[in-house]
Amino acid sequence: MSDIQAIQIRLMDDIAAAADLDAIETLRVAALGKAGSITALLKTLGGMTPDERQAKGPEIHTLRETVTAALGARKAALDAAALDIRLAAEAIDMSLPADPAPRGSVHPVSQVMDELAEIFADMGFAVATGPEIEDDWRNFTALNIPETHPARAMHDTFYFPSQMNDADGRAMLLRTHTSPVQIRTMMSQEPPIRIIAPGRVYRSDSDATHTPMFHQVEGLVIDRGIHMGHLKWTLETFLKAYFERDDIVLRLRPSYFPFTEPSAEVDVGYAQEKGRRIVGGNGDDEGHAWMELLGSGMVNRRVIANCGLDPDEWQGFAFGVGVDRLAMLKYGMDDLRAFFDGDLRWLSHYGFGALSVPTLSGGISA
């Protein structure tokens, strides 16, 4: 047996016995590296005579190719074994539920709109809608707001150019409240009327608690024999259902609105807890205070007459509140502008699932 054959037998045994990839790499360097045993044999070919080179050369090259192939085969076998071990350790239990896929969420304004619709539907109210581009007669005049009223000023209202006036020459504008929906309903529907009018409204105002576009819901009841007691009961029932608390206490303060008479600002009791306003309790109690929440009153006789109804026969009440403000109070949001920033991080924190359906009896916490 020649020296070359002895080297091959030894190397093949070592390769077969290699237990891991590190051992294979060590053998490769020892045999085929710059200072390896097979590399040293190849370097001796230069000092041989032609006859010796012809005799030894093929044997040395065969040794290199055999060892190279054996190293590759053993490395592939060890790679496959390591993969099998890894697959066994990382096996997926197909009986487990899959990770939830990314999904959208319901904007808080949309959620509160749905809550209001559910609450008032259980109280016998229908939802009424109207155009956001309105004429100044329905937005102001029919509501007993005279031309000299500050609300009609350019710095409060978004008007369209005069060339866009309607066929009767009335100025067109972005509605400043959803009250025009009340006018449209009274002019197109016979009493009794029980509606809420949610929607977008526009005013030239912007800070932490005001935006040029915001959301409002107004309520209207027109019937015979309606009085302030009906109004107070409706508001108490609504707010108790919305805030999901039975200790809601209201305080009605005399006020003035052109479209209602008598009119009342509605305050609600609240307490400050961990920097957040929590609605509930009596504002006169220790640790509590009063907060203005909405405006209300009995529909002005002139408004009823402007809609073609007899104010001696039909009476009613109306109220209005900002939807965005209701969302801020109930869900702890402190900046109205964030509602319209389009920040997905904000929405992922404050948004609602599609199945968070509110009810009058249990809100969304049921």
Side-chain angles (χ1 to χ4, degrees):
M1 179 184 297
S2 67
D3 292 341
I4 295 176
Q5 289 175 331
I7 292 173
Q8 179 174 327
I9 291 173
R10 177 176 57 79
L11 287 174
M12 297 301 287
D13 289 342
D14 290 343
I15 292 171
D20 53 42
L21 296 176
D22 289 339
I24 286 293
E25 180 61 17
T26 300
L27 290 172
R28 184 193 69 77
V29 172
L32 301 173
K34 290 183 178 181
S37 56
I38 295 178
T39 303
L41 289 174
L42 290 169
K43 290 179 179 179
T44 63
L45 291 176
M48 293 181 183
T49 64
D51 292 338
E52 290 175 332
R53 190 180 302 117
Q54 185 175 6
K56 294 286 189 180
E59 190 174 7
I60 294 174
H61 284 296
T62 299
L63 170 63
R64 183 181 63 178
E65 293 172 358
T66 301
V67 170
T68 300
L71 286 169
R74 183 59 180 163
K75 182 177 183 300
L78 291 173
D79 281 337
L83 180 61
D84 289 340
I85 294 173
R86 181 181 175 185
L87 290 175
E90 298 179 358
I92 298 176
D93 186 349
M94 300 302 292
S95 65
L96 292 175
D99 292 335
R103 59 183 181 180
S105 58
V106 177
H107 194 280
V109 169
S110 298
Q111 174 68 21
V112 172
M113 290 278 203
D114 289 343
E115 292 185 44
L116 298 178
E118 290 287 340
I119 291 169
F120 280 104
D122 284 351
M123 295 167 65
F125 285 69
V127 176
T129 59
E132 294 177 21
I133 298 176
E134 191 57 271
D135 62 73
D136 67 346
W137 187 85
R138 291 184 177 90
N139 195 85
F140 292 125
T141 307
L143 290 161
N144 197 38
I145 301 176
E147 293 183 0
T148 56
H149 195 283
R152 292 199 183 217
M154 296 291 291
H155 61 264
D156 277 350
T157 300
F158 294 107
Y159 287 94
F160 288 91
S162 58
Q163 56 265 34
M164 295 184 65
N165 291 358
D166 67 6
D168 296 323
R170 295 180 294 202
M172 303 300 292
L173 50 92
L174 293 175
R175 65 184 183 185
T176 61
H177 43 194
T178 57
S179 300
V181 177
Q182 299 183 29
I183 300 300
R184 290 176 176 272
T185 302
M186 284 190 282
M187 296 183 67
S188 62
Q189 179 179 324
E190 292 292 329
I193 296 171
R194 285 176 175 79
I195 64 162
I196 60 168
R200 286 187 290 263
V201 297
Y202 305 84
R203 297 179 190 176
S204 185
D205 201 356
S206 182
D207 56 40
T209 56
H210 299 84
T211 55
M213 186 276 287
F214 58 100
H215 300 82
Q216 188 180 60
V217 61
E218 296 188 9
L220 172 70
V221 170
I222 298 293
D223 206 338
R224 295 182 176 91
I226 298 297
H227 52 73
M228 289 288 288
H230 297 129
L231 169 63
K232 188 172 186 292
W233 177 88
T234 299
L235 294 178
E236 283 184 340
T237 304
F238 151 54
L239 293 173
K240 286 179 180 180
Y242 175 73
F243 287 107
E244 303 176 46
R245 297 178 64 120
D246 292 327
D247 62 343
I248 300 296
V249 180
L250 303 185
R251 181 180 70 175
L252 274 63
R253 289 182 291 108
S255 185
Y256 168 75
F257 303 111
F259 31 80
T260 54
E261 178 60 36
S263 303
E265 298 280 5
V266 180
D267 300 335
V268 63
Y270 77 96
Q272 199 82 17
E273 297 180 12
K274 298 180 180 179
R276 177 183 168 188
R277 292 184 176 187
I278 304 299
V279 176
N282 191 320
D284 291 327
D285 291 343
E286 184 178 355
H288 289 72
W290 294 106
M291 173 176 54
E292 179 186 326
L293 186 60
L294 53 87
S296 66
M298 301 299 295
V299 180
N300 194 297
R301 290 172 56 87
R302 292 184 179 180
V303 175
I304 294 176
N306 287 338
C307 295
L309 300 177
D310 182 358
D312 291 326
E313 179 182 3
W314 302 104
Q315 301 84 43
F317 63 76
F319 59 87
V321 60
V323 174
D324 316 280
R325 190 176 187 204
L326 287 176
M328 294 172 72
L329 287 173
K330 183 172 181 179
Y331 298 112
M333 305 163 188
D334 56 5
D335 194 330
L336 183 62
R337 293 168 293 190
F339 281 68
F340 313 105
D341 284 343
D343 191 331
L344 292 179
R345 296 168 300 178
W346 182 88
L347 190 57
S348 66
H349 179 74
Y350 287 111
F352 294 84
L355 299 180
S356 298
V357 180
T359 65
L360 177 60
S361 59
I364 63 168
S365 300

